[in-house]
Amino acid sequence: AVVAAAADSGLRSLAWALAGALRGHLGRHWHRLDYLAVSRAGLDAAVADGEVRAQAMLSQSLAHVHHSMGRHHEATAYLERALALCERSAWPDVESRVHDNLGIVYAETGFLNRAAEHFLRGLELSRQTFAPLYVGGPLTNLGTLYRHQGRLALAWRSAQIS
């Protein structure tokens, strides 16, 4: 309610900043409906402000909550949006994580080749940027995907590197 009230009062930057600050808490404690409302209000405020990185962050939040509710189509749409916004704002370290998240959603919905493309792109970006701590996630996800595909040598290699 506070995020929406801030946005309605013309305090858009406060609204999207507050929504961003709350995303960790709401996501960890699974307040799904609050998470959805806060993220939507924050995203609307970020769009009105033209704040591209905030839009990317809050699009990821909306993807996260939709994914947690089994709404894969919506999660994919928000992640694709976040990816385009990261590319537009030259934010490769976050772009790498969006690729990893897209890989997860695509893998869960049976689009294994598309998932592998996103895991590999996320891994590449993580290695290129100052986000080497995020290399383990894409490698683990890629290894799991390879195992499901029966590509055991590649799965083993991914596990060894991660």
Side-chain angles (χ1 to χ4, degrees):
V2 173
V3 173
D8 291 343
S9 299
L11 302 171
R12 292 188 305 256
S13 62
L14 176 63
W16 59 255
L18 188 55
L22 287 170
R23 64 193 290 252
H25 171 77
L26 295 171
R28 267 192 302 281
H29 298 286
W30 293 111
H31 300 290
R32 288 184 179 111
L33 296 179
D34 292 335
Y35 194 11
L36 197 58
V38 165
S39 298
R40 280 187 181 149
L43 179 58
D44 290 345
V47 168
D49 251 6
E51 186 59 46
V52 177
R53 287 188 173 190
Q55 291 174 51
M57 173 186 60
L58 292 163
S59 292
Q60 286 182 85
S61 293
L62 285 163
H64 183 228
V65 72
H66 281 291
H67 179 252
S68 75
M69 297 168 83
R71 297 176 180 167
H72 294 97
H73 180 73
E74 292 88 346
T76 301
Y78 279 113
L79 286 168
E80 292 287 357
R81 178 182 183 170
L83 186 60
L85 292 162
C86 285
E87 291 170 350
R88 186 170 136 201
S89 65
W91 207 8
D93 52 321
V94 175
E95 182 183 342
S96 69
R97 285 175 268 167
V98 174
H99 275 291
D100 197 46
N101 290 330
L102 269 167
I104 291 167
V105 175
Y106 281 129
E108 288 178 357
T109 53
F111 295 97
L112 302 184
N113 290 334
R114 186 173 264 173
E117 291 170 11
H118 283 286
F119 289 144
L120 288 168
R121 182 64 181 136
L123 180 61
E124 178 186 336
L125 284 168
S126 291
R127 287 180 171 157
Q128 290 174 2
T129 66
F130 50 90
L133 297 175
Y134 296 104
V135 170
L139 276 171
T140 301
N141 292 330
L142 194 56
T144 301
L145 177 70
Y146 287 149
R147 183 175 53 85
H148 288 298
Q149 290 178 318
R151 301 165 75 184
L152 300 181
L154 287 172
W156 177 251
R157 180 72 179 131
S158 294
Q160 285 179 315
I161 296 170
S162 69

